[in-house]
Structures are given as structure tokens and as C-alpha cells.
Amino acid sequence: MKDNIQALNDIFQARIDNGESIEPKDWMPEKYRKTHIRQISQHAHSEIVGMLPEGNWISRAPSLRRKVALLAKVQDEAGHGLYLYSAAETLGISRDELFDQLHTGKAKYSSIFNYPTVSWADMGAVGWLVDGAAIINQVMLTRTSFGPYARAMVKICKEESFHQRQGFEIMLTLTNGTEVQKQMAQDSLNRWWWPSLMMFGPPDAESTHTEQSMKWKIKRKTNDELRQQFIDITAPQAEFLGLTIPDPDLKWNEETKHYDFGAIDWDEFWQVVKGFGPCNKERIDARVKAWDEGAWVRDAAVAYGEKKIQKSKVA
Ligand code: FAQ
């Protein structure tokens, strides 16, 4: 029995090494399945919880054009959540279980969405930095080894790129505006810079899953590699905007051809991940409320579905 499992594992690893896509009905190690349920569902939860800080500004966007764009972006995030929940379901877990894990705190979602959006400039910073970081991480995931996840990511990445530009354009307008608008943009960058770097996860040396996930080609790059890539792309953008990144140690290194940067406050990161960030409670309360208040819609949809089946049997 043990030998059989080992043989299956070897064939599985050979398929991965060969660049083959793993599909839901293929044999896979239990840990591969569980790792995917964990990562895909946390990703889905991040999209859905991520709608809240931006949803906060839809009714207060400064013009109809801004409102329409923000509304479309938040709606896209709901769509991303749906693709990802569907991808997770192909691994044999139900949507109800996934939501239960979110509502009871068993499943994580991205630390970034536990920070408040206190000014309109935050809509710019979230699009520019948070979606910018999400794209860097997710472009890698379009080539992840599990087929349904990789395919979902292709569409998601296209939309994220619109989101990032939407945010950058808000920042550009503010930095070309009045002194007060410039200050709003700078204040927003000051608050979102470090939490955006934390989105990529703990340093490689402390990342529990990276080694195995790289072996299975779930991850194609490590947390630190992606973080560095983000900083290298974003630092010149900040310069273009005329904004100062709140890190006195940020400096181009001619030798490494990368930016050096200062120490990240990992204590803050773990506090937020463990539920003690500025908005953790508010975010979960909002999700639970939406779930409870939406019960009648789910019940009506099930009743309608059952009625349709009955009707088709009679016909
Ligand atoms: N926040 O061993 P690793 C978006 C946890 S989508 C909270 O390195 P892994 C779109 C991690 O789960 C943003 N927890 O883990 C949008 C693990 O704990 P566990 C979300 C974090 O999985 C934009 C432990 O730490 N994107 O922004 C975080 O190999 C704007 C050890 O970490 C994705 O989910 C964190 N930041 O690497 C929406 C992408 N980092 O599970 C609205 C897919 C780590 O053992 C508005 N996910 N942890 O209890 C990934 O690529 C990976 O899961 C990583 C973490 C890179 C996030």
C-alpha cells in the first residue's frame, strides 16, 4: 500500500516537473488538494472581503466617472471571488463550508483588507499599490499547476490590470492637483506602502508553505522574490508621481540592479493576520451580516430550482 502511494506520488511529481496541468479528476496527493483548498479559498475570501474597504467610497466618489469606474472594479472583485470559489469547489469542498470557514475565523484572507480607507486618495493607493501587488503575485499564478486555478487567474489578471490603472490615474490626478490634494496622495501612500509589502507574505525563511508549493509549481516565485519585483516596479512610479515612499532606506543598488529597502514590521503583520488589525472585526461582522441577511435569497433560489426540476419531470 505504502509502495503504491509512493509510486503515485512519483508519477504525480513527474507530471508536475513535465509542466502538465493537474485537473480535478486526476489523482493528486491529499496535501496538494488541501494546500489548494487553503490557498484558493483564502484568495477568494480576500476578493470578497476586499470589496468592503472600496465599497465604502462608492457613494462618495467625487464624480460620476469615478463612481462608475469604482463600481465596476468592486463588481469585478465579486466576480473574482466567484471564479475562485468555483475552482475550490472542484476539489470537493462545498461553498457553504468555505463561507463557514471565513465567518468562524478558520480561514484567513489577505492582511491588507484589515486597514481602513479614510480618504478618497485611498481609492487611488489601493488600486495602484494593492492591485499592483496582486497582479505581480497573480501573473505567476496563471501558470500554477492546478488547471482550474490557473485558468481563473488569466481572466482575473486582465481585470486587475484595469484596476491598477484606475488607481494610478486617481493618484496622478491628485498629484497634479492642489497642494491639499498632493498631501492627501502622500498621506495615503504613507499608510498603504508597508501593508502592501506585507501582502506577499512572511519572509521566505519564515514561510511554512513556500518550499513544498514551489516543488508542486503552485508558486513559481517566492514571497521575497515577488516583494522585490513589486518594489522595483513601484519605486519609479512613485517618483513619477512626485511622491516619497515612506522608507528612508529605499535606494537603488547599482550592483544588484534592485532597490534596497528598510525592515518590514513583521510583528504588525502577524498581529493583523491573527485578527488584531484595525478593521478585522468590522470586516468579518460585515460578511456575516451579509450572509445572514441574504438567507432568503438563497432559500428562494433553491425553492425555484426545485420547482423547475419538478416541472420538468411532469412535462
Ligand atoms: N495575509 O507559508 P506562507 C487582491 C499566511 S487578492 C494573511 O508564505 P503561502 C485583489 C498564510 O496563509 C489578495 N495571511 O503561505 C484585490 C499562511 O498561513 P496558513 C490575496 C497571510 O500560502 C485587490 C502563513 O501566513 N491574494 O488583493 C498573508 O505559501 C484590491 C504562512 O505564509 C492571494 O491570496 C497575508 N498577506 O503564501 C481585491 C493570492 N501572507 O494558511 C480587492 C494567492 C501569508 O498556513 C481590492 N495566494 N499569510 O494558516 C498566495 O499567493 C499565497 O497564499 C501567499 C502566501 C503569497 C499570499
Side-chain angles (χ1 to χ4, degrees):
M1 177 70 179
K2 210 173 159 202
D3 284 353
N4 284 349
I5 296 284
Q6 189 52 48
L8 285 168
N9 267 314
D10 291 346
I11 295 168
F12 180 81
Q13 188 61 50
R15 290 190 63 198
I16 299 265
D17 295 343
N18 201 27
E20 285 178 42
S21 170
I22 305 300
E23 296 301 328
K25 287 189 177 160
D26 295 347
W27 186 89
M28 62 183 78
E30 187 54 17
K31 197 168 165 211
Y32 180 89
R33 195 180 72 85
K34 287 213 168 109
T35 297
H36 268 96
I37 292 178
R38 176 186 67 81
Q39 180 167 322
I40 301 173
S41 67
Q42 291 184 0
H43 193 165
H45 299 326
S46 303
E47 298 282 355
I48 300 296
V49 176
M51 294 167 74
L52 298 168
E54 290 179 312
N56 179 32
W57 279 92
I58 292 172
S59 60
R60 289 179 285 157
S63 68
L64 185 59
R65 176 173 170 264
R66 293 291 186 205
K67 194 190 288 275
V68 169
L70 185 61
L71 197 58
K73 178 184 192 294
V74 173
Q75 192 171 305
D76 283 350
E77 276 141 18
H80 298 175
L82 293 181
Y83 310 149
L84 290 164
Y85 284 125
S86 301
E89 281 174 303
T90 66
L91 291 158
I93 185 158
S94 72
R95 186 95 46 118
D96 281 359
E97 272 176 89
L98 294 170
F99 279 126
D100 185 63
Q101 289 177 355
L102 173 67
H103 298 158
T104 55
K106 270 190 229 140
K108 294 187 170 74
Y109 57 89
S110 183
S111 49
I112 193 79
F113 302 117
N114 292 306
Y115 291 85
T117 44
V118 298
S119 79
W120 170 251
D122 287 358
M123 293 305 94
V126 168
W128 172 37
L129 301 174
V130 176
D131 285 278
I135 295 172
I136 302 248
N137 171 271
Q138 292 172 6
V139 164
M140 153 188 96
L141 293 172
T142 59
R143 294 183 299 119
T144 193
S145 59
F146 185 54
Y149 193 23
R151 289 190 287 276
M153 291 320 302
V154 173
K155 192 154 189 284
I156 292 179
C157 278
K158 285 189 187 149
E159 291 174 352
E160 296 290 19
S161 137
F162 150 69
H163 297 174
Q164 194 270 351
R165 276 178 241 173
Q166 177 258 2
F168 189 78
E169 204 228 341
I170 293 176
M171 294 306 263
L172 196 58
T173 305
L174 290 173
T175 51
N176 281 319
T178 63
E179 205 41 51
V180 173
Q181 285 173 315
K182 276 183 214 161
Q183 275 170 20
M184 268 172 69
Q186 181 63 56
D187 167 66
S188 195
L189 171 60
N190 292 348
R191 285 179 291 104
W192 289 92
W193 176 252
W194 293 104
S196 298
L197 300 190
M198 294 173 195
M199 279 178 75
F200 295 94
D204 292 350
E206 288 166 35
S207 163
T208 36
H209 303 293
T210 293
E211 196 186 341
Q212 182 62 71
S213 289
M214 295 283 284
K215 210 167 156 215
W216 277 333
K217 295 188 181 163
I218 298 172
K219 279 175 153 181
R220 299 271 183 161
K221 289 185 183 173
T222 70
N223 299 357
D224 286 336
E225 283 169 345
L226 292 170
R227 191 169 8 253
Q228 184 70 57
Q229 197 179 328
F230 172 74
I231 293 170
D232 290 348
I233 289 176
T234 314
Q237 294 174 348
E239 203 175 315
F240 180 81
L241 289 170
L243 296 175
T244 307
I245 289 179
D247 178 359
D249 296 324
L250 187 84
K251 214 169 47 226
W252 176 252
N253 184 327
E254 197 47 48
E255 229 167 83
T256 59
K257 302 280 181 219
H258 291 294
Y259 280 86
D260 292 335
F261 56 97
I264 296 173
D265 183 350
W266 291 112
D267 285 345
E268 174 182 323
F269 170 76
W270 289 116
Q271 281 300 310
V272 175
V273 170
K274 284 178 188 155
F276 306 108
C279 300
N280 294 59
K281 187 175 177 316
E282 188 182 326
R283 301 289 183 240
I284 290 299
D285 286 353
R287 287 310 316 159
V288 171
K289 184 166 179 274
W291 177 257
D292 290 345
E293 289 179 357
W296 69 271
V297 180
R298 295 191 297 278
D299 291 346
V302 169
Y304 177 71
E306 278 166 1
K307 215 168 165 184
K308 249 178 123 181
I309 292 169
Q310 287 307 324
K311 256 190 177 170
S312 70
K313 277 184 190 158
V314 174

Coordinates of all heavy atoms in Angstrom, one line a residue, residues 229-297:
Q229 N 10.3 42.3 -6.7 CA 9.8 42.7 -8.0 C 8.8 43.9 -7.9 O 8.9 44.8 -8.7 CB 9.1 41.5 -8.6 CG 8.9 41.5 -10.1 CD 8.2 40.3 -10.6 OE1 8.4 39.2 -10.1 NE2 7.4 40.4 -11.7
F230 N 7.9 43.8 -6.9 CA 6.9 44.9 -6.7 C 7.6 46.2 -6.4 O 7.3 47.2 -7.0 CB 6.0 44.5 -5.6 CG 5.0 45.6 -5.2 CD1 4.0 45.9 -5.9 CD2 5.2 46.2 -3.9 CE1 3.1 46.9 -5.6 CE2 4.3 47.2 -3.5 CZ 3.3 47.6 -4.4
I231 N 8.6 46.1 -5.5 CA 9.3 47.4 -5.1 C 10.1 48.0 -6.3 O 10.0 49.2 -6.6 CB 10.3 47.1 -4.0 CG1 9.5 46.7 -2.7 CG2 11.2 48.3 -3.7 CD1 10.3 46.2 -1.6
D232 N 10.7 47.1 -7.1 CA 11.5 47.6 -8.3 C 10.6 48.3 -9.3 O 10.9 49.2 -10.0 CB 12.2 46.4 -8.9 CG 13.4 45.9 -8.0 OD1 13.7 46.6 -7.1 OD2 13.9 44.8 -8.3
I233 N 9.3 47.8 -9.4 CA 8.4 48.4 -10.4 C 7.8 49.6 -9.8 O 7.6 50.6 -10.5 CB 7.3 47.3 -10.8 CG1 7.9 46.2 -11.6 CG2 6.1 48.0 -11.5 CD1 6.9 45.1 -12.0
T234 N 7.5 49.6 -8.5 CA 6.7 50.7 -7.9 C 7.5 51.9 -7.6 O 7.0 53.1 -7.7 CB 5.9 50.2 -6.7 OG1 5.3 48.9 -7.1 CG2 4.8 51.1 -6.3
A235 N 8.7 51.8 -7.2 CA 9.5 52.9 -6.7 C 9.6 54.0 -7.9 O 9.4 55.2 -7.6 CB 10.9 52.5 -6.3
P236 N 9.9 53.6 -9.1 CA 10.0 54.6 -10.2 C 8.6 55.3 -10.4 O 8.5 56.4 -10.8 CB 10.5 53.9 -11.4 CG 11.0 52.6 -10.9 CD 10.4 52.3 -9.6
Q237 N 7.5 54.5 -10.2 CA 6.2 55.1 -10.4 C 5.9 56.2 -9.3 O 5.3 57.2 -9.7 CB 5.1 54.0 -10.3 CG 5.2 53.0 -11.4 CD 4.2 51.8 -11.2 OE1 3.7 51.6 -10.2 NE2 4.1 51.0 -12.3
A238 N 6.4 55.9 -8.1 CA 6.2 56.9 -7.0 C 7.0 58.2 -7.4 O 6.5 59.3 -7.2 CB 6.7 56.4 -5.7
E239 N 8.2 58.0 -7.9 CA 9.0 59.1 -8.4 C 8.3 59.9 -9.4 O 8.2 61.1 -9.4 CB 10.3 58.6 -8.9 CG 11.4 59.6 -8.8 CD 12.8 59.0 -9.2 OE1 13.1 57.9 -8.8 OE2 13.5 59.6 -10.0
F240 N 7.7 59.2 -10.4 CA 7.0 59.9 -11.5 C 5.8 60.7 -10.9 O 5.5 61.8 -11.4 CB 6.4 58.8 -12.5 CG 5.7 59.3 -13.6 CD1 6.3 59.8 -14.7 CD2 4.3 59.4 -13.6 CE1 5.6 60.4 -15.8 CE2 3.5 59.9 -14.7 CZ 4.2 60.4 -15.8
L241 N 5.2 60.2 -9.9 CA 4.0 60.9 -9.3 C 4.5 62.1 -8.4 O 3.7 62.9 -8.0 CB 3.2 60.0 -8.4 CG 2.4 58.9 -9.1 CD1 1.8 57.9 -8.1 CD2 1.2 59.5 -9.9
G242 N 5.8 62.1 -8.1 CA 6.4 63.2 -7.3 C 6.1 62.9 -5.8 O 6.0 63.8 -5.0
L243 N 5.9 61.6 -5.5 CA 5.6 61.2 -4.1 C 6.8 60.5 -3.5 O 7.7 60.0 -4.2 CB 4.4 60.2 -4.0 CG 3.1 60.8 -4.5 CD1 2.0 59.7 -4.5 CD2 2.6 61.9 -3.6
T244 N 6.9 60.6 -2.1 CA 8.0 60.0 -1.4 C 7.6 58.7 -0.7 O 6.7 58.7 0.1 CB 8.6 61.0 -0.4 OG1 8.8 62.2 -1.0 CG2 9.9 60.4 0.3
I245 N 8.2 57.6 -1.1 CA 7.9 56.3 -0.4 C 8.5 56.4 1.1 O 9.6 56.9 1.3 CB 8.6 55.2 -1.2 CG1 7.8 55.0 -2.5 CG2 8.6 53.9 -0.3 CD1 8.2 53.9 -3.4
P246 N 7.6 56.1 2.0 CA 8.0 56.3 3.4 C 9.0 55.3 4.0 O 8.8 54.6 4.9 CB 6.6 56.2 4.2 CG 5.9 55.2 3.3 CD 6.3 55.4 1.9
D247 N 10.1 55.3 3.3 CA 11.2 54.3 3.7 C 12.6 55.0 3.4 O 13.0 55.1 2.3 CB 11.1 53.0 2.9 CG 12.2 52.0 3.2 OD1 13.1 52.4 4.1 OD2 12.2 51.0 2.6
P248 N 13.2 55.5 4.5 CA 14.5 56.2 4.3 C 15.6 55.3 3.8 O 16.6 55.8 3.2 CB 14.8 56.8 5.7 CG 14.0 56.0 6.7 CD 12.8 55.5 5.9
D249 N 15.4 54.0 3.9 CA 16.4 53.1 3.4 C 16.2 52.7 2.0 O 17.0 51.8 1.4 CB 16.5 51.9 4.3 CG 16.9 52.2 5.7 OD1 17.7 53.1 5.9 OD2 16.3 51.6 6.7
L250 N 15.2 53.1 1.3 CA 14.9 52.7 0.0 C 15.9 53.4 -1.0 O 16.0 54.6 -1.1 CB 13.5 53.1 -0.4 CG 13.0 52.6 -1.8 CD1 12.5 51.1 -1.7 CD2 11.9 53.4 -2.4
K251 N 16.7 52.6 -1.7 CA 17.7 53.1 -2.5 C 18.1 52.2 -3.6 O 18.1 50.9 -3.4 CB 19.0 53.3 -1.6 CG 19.8 54.6 -2.1 CD 20.9 55.1 -1.2 CE 21.8 54.0 -0.6 NZ 22.2 53.9 0.6
W252 N 18.3 52.7 -4.8 CA 18.7 51.8 -6.0 C 20.1 51.3 -5.7 O 21.0 52.0 -5.3 CB 18.6 52.6 -7.3 CG 19.1 51.8 -8.5 CD1 20.2 52.0 -9.1 CD2 18.4 50.7 -9.1 NE1 20.3 51.1 -10.2 CE2 19.2 50.3 -10.1 CE3 17.2 50.1 -8.8 CZ2 18.9 49.2 -11.0 CZ3 16.8 49.0 -9.7 CH2 17.7 48.6 -10.7
N253 N 20.2 50.0 -5.9 CA 21.5 49.4 -5.7 C 22.1 49.0 -7.1 O 21.6 48.1 -7.8 CB 21.4 48.1 -4.8 CG 22.7 47.5 -4.5 OD1 23.6 47.5 -5.3 ND2 22.8 46.9 -3.3
E254 N 23.1 49.7 -7.6 CA 23.6 49.5 -8.9 C 24.2 48.1 -9.1 O 24.2 47.5 -10.2 CB 24.7 50.6 -9.1 CG 25.1 50.9 -10.6 CD 23.9 51.0 -11.6 OE1 23.0 51.8 -11.3 OE2 24.0 50.3 -12.6
E255 N 24.7 47.6 -8.0 CA 25.4 46.3 -8.1 C 24.4 45.1 -8.3 O 24.5 44.3 -9.2 CB 26.1 46.0 -6.8 CG 27.5 45.5 -7.0 CD 28.3 45.6 -5.6 OE1 28.1 44.7 -4.9 OE2 28.9 46.6 -5.4
T256 N 23.3 45.2 -7.5 CA 22.3 44.1 -7.5 C 21.2 44.4 -8.6 O 20.5 43.5 -9.0 CB 21.5 43.9 -6.2 OG1 20.9 45.2 -5.9 CG2 22.5 43.5 -5.1
K257 N 21.2 45.7 -9.0 CA 20.1 46.1 -10.0 C 18.7 46.0 -9.4 O 17.8 45.7 -10.1 CB 20.2 45.4 -11.4 CG 21.5 45.5 -12.1 CD 21.7 46.8 -12.8 CE 23.0 46.9 -13.5 NZ 23.6 48.2 -13.5
H258 N 18.7 46.1 -8.1 CA 17.4 46.1 -7.4 C 17.4 47.3 -6.4 O 18.5 47.8 -6.1 CB 17.2 44.8 -6.6 CG 17.0 43.6 -7.5 ND1 15.9 43.5 -8.3 CD2 17.7 42.5 -7.7 CE1 16.0 42.3 -9.0 NE2 17.1 41.7 -8.6
Y259 N 16.2 47.6 -5.9 CA 16.1 48.6 -4.8 C 16.4 47.9 -3.5 O 15.9 46.8 -3.2 CB 14.8 49.2 -4.7 CG 14.6 50.3 -5.7 CD1 14.1 50.0 -7.0 CD2 14.8 51.6 -5.4 CE1 14.0 51.0 -8.0 CE2 14.6 52.7 -6.3 CZ 14.2 52.4 -7.6 OH 14.1 53.4 -8.5
D260 N 17.3 48.5 -2.6 CA 17.4 48.0 -1.2 C 16.2 48.7 -0.5 O 15.8 49.8 -0.9 CB 18.7 48.5 -0.6 CG 19.9 47.8 -1.3 OD1 19.7 46.7 -1.8 OD2 21.0 48.4 -1.3
F261 N 15.7 48.0 0.5 CA 14.7 48.7 1.3 C 14.8 48.3 2.8 O 15.5 47.4 3.2 CB 13.3 48.3 0.8 CG 13.0 46.8 0.7 CD1 12.3 46.1 1.7 CD2 13.5 46.0 -0.3 CE1 12.1 44.8 1.7 CE2 13.2 44.6 -0.4 CZ 12.6 44.0 0.6
G262 N 14.1 49.1 3.6 CA 14.2 49.0 5.1 C 13.4 47.8 5.6 O 12.8 47.1 4.9
A263 N 13.5 47.7 7.0 CA 12.9 46.5 7.6 C 11.4 46.6 7.7 O 10.9 47.6 8.0 CB 13.5 46.4 9.0
I264 N 10.8 45.5 7.4 CA 9.3 45.4 7.5 C 8.9 45.0 8.9 O 9.6 44.2 9.5 CB 8.8 44.4 6.5 CG1 9.1 44.9 5.0 CG2 7.3 44.1 6.6 CD1 8.8 43.9 3.9
D265 N 7.9 45.6 9.4 CA 7.4 45.4 10.8 C 6.6 44.1 10.8 O 5.4 44.1 10.7 CB 6.6 46.6 11.3 CG 6.2 46.4 12.7 OD1 6.4 45.3 13.3 OD2 5.6 47.3 13.3
W266 N 7.3 43.0 10.9 CA 6.6 41.7 10.9 C 5.7 41.4 12.1 O 4.8 40.6 12.0 CB 7.6 40.5 10.7 CG 8.2 40.6 9.3 CD1 9.4 40.9 8.9 CD2 7.5 40.4 8.0 NE1 9.6 40.9 7.6 CE2 8.4 40.6 7.0 CE3 6.1 40.2 7.7 CZ2 8.0 40.6 5.6 CZ3 5.8 40.1 6.4 CH2 6.7 40.3 5.3
D267 N 6.0 42.1 13.2 CA 5.1 42.0 14.4 C 3.7 42.5 14.0 O 2.7 41.9 14.3 CB 5.6 42.8 15.6 CG 6.8 42.1 16.2 OD1 7.0 40.9 15.9 OD2 7.5 42.7 17.0
E268 N 3.7 43.7 13.3 CA 2.4 44.2 12.9 C 1.7 43.3 12.0 O 0.5 43.0 12.1 CB 2.7 45.6 12.1 CG 1.4 46.1 11.6 CD 1.6 47.4 10.8 OE1 2.4 48.3 11.2 OE2 0.9 47.6 9.8
F269 N 2.4 42.7 11.0 CA 1.8 41.7 10.1 C 1.1 40.6 10.8 O 0.0 40.3 10.6 CB 2.9 41.2 9.1 CG 2.5 40.0 8.3 CD1 1.7 40.2 7.2 CD2 2.9 38.7 8.6 CE1 1.3 39.1 6.4 CE2 2.5 37.6 7.8 CZ 1.7 37.8 6.7
W270 N 1.9 40.0 11.8 CA 1.3 38.8 12.4 C 0.1 39.2 13.3 O -0.9 38.4 13.5 CB 2.3 38.0 13.2 CG 3.3 37.3 12.3 CD1 4.6 37.5 12.2 CD2 3.0 36.2 11.4 NE1 5.1 36.7 11.2 CE2 4.2 35.9 10.7 CE3 1.8 35.6 11.0 CZ2 4.2 34.9 9.7 CZ3 1.8 34.6 10.0 CH2 3.0 34.3 9.4
Q271 N 0.2 40.4 13.9 CA -1.0 40.9 14.7 C -2.2 41.0 13.8 O -3.3 40.5 14.2 CB -0.7 42.3 15.3 CG 0.2 42.3 16.5 CD -0.4 41.6 17.6 OE1 -1.5 41.8 18.0 NE2 0.4 40.7 18.2
V272 N -2.0 41.5 12.6 CA -3.2 41.7 11.7 C -3.7 40.3 11.3 O -4.9 40.0 11.2 CB -2.8 42.6 10.5 CG1 -3.9 42.6 9.5 CG2 -2.4 44.0 10.9
V273 N -2.7 39.4 10.9 CA -3.1 38.1 10.5 C -3.9 37.3 11.6 O -4.8 36.6 11.3 CB -1.9 37.3 10.0 CG1 -2.2 35.8 9.8 CG2 -1.3 37.9 8.7
K274 N -3.5 37.5 12.8 CA -4.1 36.8 13.9 C -5.4 37.5 14.3 O -6.1 37.0 15.3 CB -3.2 36.8 15.1 CG -2.0 35.8 14.9 CD -1.1 35.7 16.1 CE 0.1 34.9 15.7 NZ 1.3 35.2 16.5
G275 N -5.9 38.5 13.7 CA -7.2 39.1 14.0 C -7.2 40.4 14.7 O -8.2 40.9 15.1
F276 N -6.0 41.0 15.0 CA -5.9 42.2 15.8 C -5.6 43.4 15.0 O -5.0 44.4 15.5 CB -5.0 42.0 17.0 CG -5.3 40.7 17.8 CD1 -4.5 39.6 17.7 CD2 -6.4 40.7 18.5 CE1 -4.8 38.4 18.4 CE2 -6.8 39.5 19.2 CZ -5.9 38.4 19.2
G277 N -5.9 43.4 13.7 CA -5.6 44.6 12.9 C -6.7 45.6 13.2 O -7.7 45.4 13.8
P278 N -6.6 46.8 12.5 CA -7.5 47.9 12.8 C -9.0 47.6 12.4 O -9.9 48.1 13.1 CB -7.0 49.1 12.0 CG -5.7 48.7 11.4 CD -5.5 47.3 11.7
C279 N -9.2 46.8 11.4 CA -10.6 46.5 11.0 C -11.0 45.1 10.9 O -12.1 44.7 10.3 CB -10.8 47.1 9.6 SG -10.5 48.9 9.4
N280 N -10.3 44.1 11.5 CA -10.6 42.7 11.4 C -12.0 42.4 11.8 O -12.8 41.8 11.1 CB -9.7 41.8 12.2 CG -8.2 41.8 11.7 OD1 -7.6 42.9 11.7 ND2 -7.7 40.7 11.3
K281 N -12.4 43.0 12.9 CA -13.7 42.6 13.5 C -14.8 43.2 12.6 O -15.8 42.5 12.2 CB -13.9 43.2 14.9 CG -15.1 42.7 15.6 CD -15.2 43.1 17.0 CE -16.6 42.7 17.7 NZ -17.7 42.9 16.9
E282 N -14.6 44.4 12.2 CA -15.6 45.1 11.3 C -15.8 44.3 10.0 O -16.9 44.2 9.5 CB -15.0 46.5 11.0 CG -15.9 47.5 10.3 CD -15.1 48.8 10.1 OE1 -14.3 49.2 10.9 OE2 -15.4 49.4 9.0
R283 N -14.7 43.9 9.4 CA -14.8 43.1 8.1 C -15.6 41.8 8.3 O -16.5 41.5 7.5 CB -13.4 42.8 7.6 CG -12.5 44.0 7.4 CD -13.0 44.8 6.2 NE -12.1 45.9 5.9 CZ -12.4 47.2 6.0 NH1 -13.6 47.6 6.2 NH2 -11.5 48.1 5.7
I284 N -15.3 41.1 9.3 CA -16.0 39.8 9.5 C -17.4 40.0 9.9 O -18.3 39.4 9.3 CB -15.3 38.9 10.5 CG1 -13.9 38.4 10.0 CG2 -16.1 37.7 10.9 CD1 -14.0 37.5 8.7
D285 N -17.7 41.0 10.7 CA -19.1 41.3 11.1 C -19.9 41.7 9.8 O -21.0 41.2 9.7 CB -19.1 42.5 12.0 CG -18.7 42.1 13.4 OD1 -18.5 40.9 13.7 OD2 -18.5 43.0 14.3
A286 N -19.3 42.4 8.9 CA -20.0 42.8 7.7 C -20.3 41.6 6.8 O -21.3 41.5 6.2 CB -19.1 43.9 6.9
R287 N -19.3 40.7 6.7 CA -19.5 39.5 5.9 C -20.6 38.6 6.5 O -21.5 38.1 5.8 CB -18.2 38.7 5.7 CG -17.2 39.3 4.8 CD -17.7 39.7 3.5 NE -18.6 38.7 2.9 CZ -19.4 38.9 1.9 NH1 -19.6 40.1 1.4 NH2 -20.2 38.0 1.4
V288 N -20.6 38.5 7.8 CA -21.6 37.6 8.5 C -23.0 38.2 8.3 O -24.0 37.5 8.0 CB -21.2 37.4 10.0 CG1 -22.4 36.7 10.7 CG2 -19.9 36.6 10.1
K289 N -23.0 39.5 8.5 CA -24.3 40.2 8.3 C -24.9 40.0 6.9 O -26.1 39.7 6.7 CB -24.1 41.7 8.6 CG -25.4 42.6 8.6 CD -25.1 43.9 9.2 CE -26.3 44.8 9.2 NZ -26.4 45.6 7.9
A290 N -24.0 40.1 5.9 CA -24.4 40.0 4.5 C -24.9 38.5 4.3 O -25.9 38.3 3.6 CB -23.3 40.3 3.5
W291 N -24.2 37.6 4.9 CA -24.6 36.2 4.8 C -26.0 35.9 5.4 O -26.9 35.3 4.8 CB -23.6 35.3 5.4 CG -23.9 33.8 5.4 CD1 -24.3 33.1 6.5 CD2 -23.8 32.9 4.3 NE1 -24.5 31.8 6.1 CE2 -24.2 31.6 4.8 CE3 -23.4 33.0 3.0 CZ2 -24.2 30.5 3.9 CZ3 -23.4 31.9 2.2 CH2 -23.8 30.7 2.6
D292 N -26.2 36.4 6.6 CA -27.4 36.2 7.3 C -28.6 36.9 6.6 O -29.7 36.3 6.4 CB -27.3 36.8 8.8 CG -26.4 35.9 9.6 OD1 -26.1 34.8 9.2 OD2 -26.0 36.4 10.7
E293 N -28.3 38.1 6.2 CA -29.4 38.9 5.5 C -29.7 38.4 4.1 O -30.8 38.7 3.5 CB -29.1 40.4 5.5 CG -29.2 41.0 6.9 CD -28.8 42.5 6.9 OE1 -28.4 43.0 5.9 OE2 -28.9 43.0 8.0
G294 N -28.8 37.6 3.5 CA -29.0 37.0 2.2 C -29.7 35.7 2.2 O -29.9 35.0 1.2
A295 N -30.0 35.2 3.4 CA -30.5 33.8 3.6 C -31.8 33.6 2.7 O -32.0 32.6 2.0 CB -30.8 33.5 5.0
W296 N -32.7 34.6 2.7 CA -33.9 34.5 2.0 C -33.7 34.4 0.5 O -34.4 33.7 -0.2 CB -34.9 35.7 2.3 CG -34.4 37.0 1.7 CD1 -33.6 37.9 2.4 CD2 -34.8 37.6 0.5 NE1 -33.4 39.0 1.6 CE2 -34.1 38.8 0.4 CE3 -35.5 37.1 -0.6 CZ2 -34.2 39.7 -0.7 CZ3 -35.7 38.0 -1.7 CH2 -35.0 39.2 -1.8
V297 N -32.6 35.0 0.0 CA -32.3 34.9 -1.5 C -31.8 33.5 -1.8 O -32.3 32.9 -2.8 CB -31.2 35.9 -1.9 CG1 -30.9 35.8 -3.4 CG2 -31.6 37.3 -1.5

